Amino acid sequence: MDQRLEKQLAFALEIDKEKNVLRQTHLSGHGRRENDAEHAWHMAIMAYLLREYANEAVDIGKVMLMCLIHDIVEIQAGDTYAYDSQGLETQKAREDAAKESLYGMLPEDQKRELIALFDEFEERETAEARFAHAMDNLQPLLLNHSNQGGDWKAHGVKAAQVYRRQEGTRLGSERLYEITDRILKENIRRGTLEE
């Protein structure tokens, strides 16, 4: 087997470990904790389905690929809960080290391509990155809403924290932010999300 193919297959096997990275979000219907691979798959499908609501025209294939690769780094860096202020302080350093290590398994051209895509997602300066982030925010919100805010309650998350995070949704899609706002207000009324 040639070296290029050997590296690609090794990477393909390595990313299978993403299925073992558990998130704080539970599956709909009070299911088990979601893993990173399920989150990425769900986001990618949502991006395709909801692309008409992006604030700007987007290359949907690029958005979907961003959704699929953005959490591969968590194989080594671990999942950082969105509302864990202590974990967020070290997240970038952990993820930067992991991206070099994991994407470094690939042939040089593919390594550069995926690192550039990961960095673009993180920087949120393009329409694609902003819309991918809207999916990254909306997907767990939908699951948490379907579970009567159980994950918010379990972690003592306040409405202001969720609203701050959802500003990223607004940057990618005003329309989807309207839905987010409606969901959050409903959870505040129900008492499942504290003000």
Side-chain angles (χ1 to χ4, degrees):
M1 181 172 7
D2 70 64
Q3 189 178 15
R4 181 177 177 85
L5 180 55
E6 190 174 336
K7 286 181 173 185
Q8 291 166 325
L9 292 177
F11 179 77
L13 185 58
E14 183 69 16
I15 64 173
D16 182 66
K17 293 176 181 173
E18 190 177 13
K19 298 172 187 172
N20 293 316
V21 180
L22 295 179
R23 296 168 46 79
Q24 294 303 314
T25 308
H26 287 75
L27 301 178
S28 60
H30 301 282
R32 63 171 168 74
R33 284 170 59 190
E34 171 185 54
N35 69 50
D36 270 359
E38 292 165 329
H39 166 65
W41 162 82
H42 202 180
M43 282 175 59
I45 296 292
M46 287 174 57
Y48 181 80
L49 295 174
L50 302 173
R51 66 191 183 275
E52 66 196 82
Y53 305 111
N55 287 344
E56 307 165 76
V58 294
D59 174 344
I60 197 58
K62 186 176 186 182
V63 172
M64 292 173 74
L65 189 53
M66 280 182 184
C67 291
L68 291 169
I69 67 129
H70 81 290
D71 277 345
I72 288 174
V73 294
E74 293 185 1
I75 292 168
Q76 292 180 4
D79 176 59
T80 303
Y81 185 50
Y83 306 105
D84 173 6
S85 56
Q86 196 171 25
L88 291 170
E89 289 177 12
T90 62
Q91 181 181 18
K92 182 172 177 13
R94 287 182 287 115
E95 291 187 353
D96 282 349
K99 82 177 176 189
E100 290 299 325
S101 172
L102 289 163
Y103 296 133
M105 296 175 69
L106 286 164
E108 189 60 32
D109 62 316
Q110 290 183 323
K111 171 191 171 184
R112 284 192 311 270
E113 178 186 5
L114 292 189
I115 285 178
L117 202 57
F118 176 86
D119 289 344
E120 181 179 340
F121 175 82
E122 290 297 312
E123 291 161 5
R124 304 178 201 202
E125 292 181 4
T126 64
E128 287 80 12
R130 287 188 290 271
F131 191 61
H133 266 281
M135 297 303 102
D136 197 23
N137 293 338
L138 181 61
Q139 187 269 346
L141 180 125
L142 290 175
L143 292 182
N144 201 21
H145 177 58
S146 80
N147 291 318
Q148 288 72 50
D151 297 321
W152 292 322
K153 287 190 288 191
H155 294 281
V157 175
K158 306 285 189 258
Q161 292 173 278
V162 184
Y163 270 109
R164 266 194 307 278
R165 179 168 174 79
Q166 293 300 326
E167 282 302 315
T169 302
R170 174 177 265 160
L171 294 175
S173 173
E174 286 285 347
R175 179 68 180 113
L176 296 177
Y177 180 79
E178 291 170 14
I179 303 304
T180 295
D181 183 47
R182 192 176 312 150
I183 287 170
L184 293 177
K185 284 179 177 162
E186 181 180 332
N187 279 273
I188 291 166
R189 272 193 308 275
R190 289 192 317 210
T192 54
L193 186 58
E194 290 184 43
E195 285 207 79

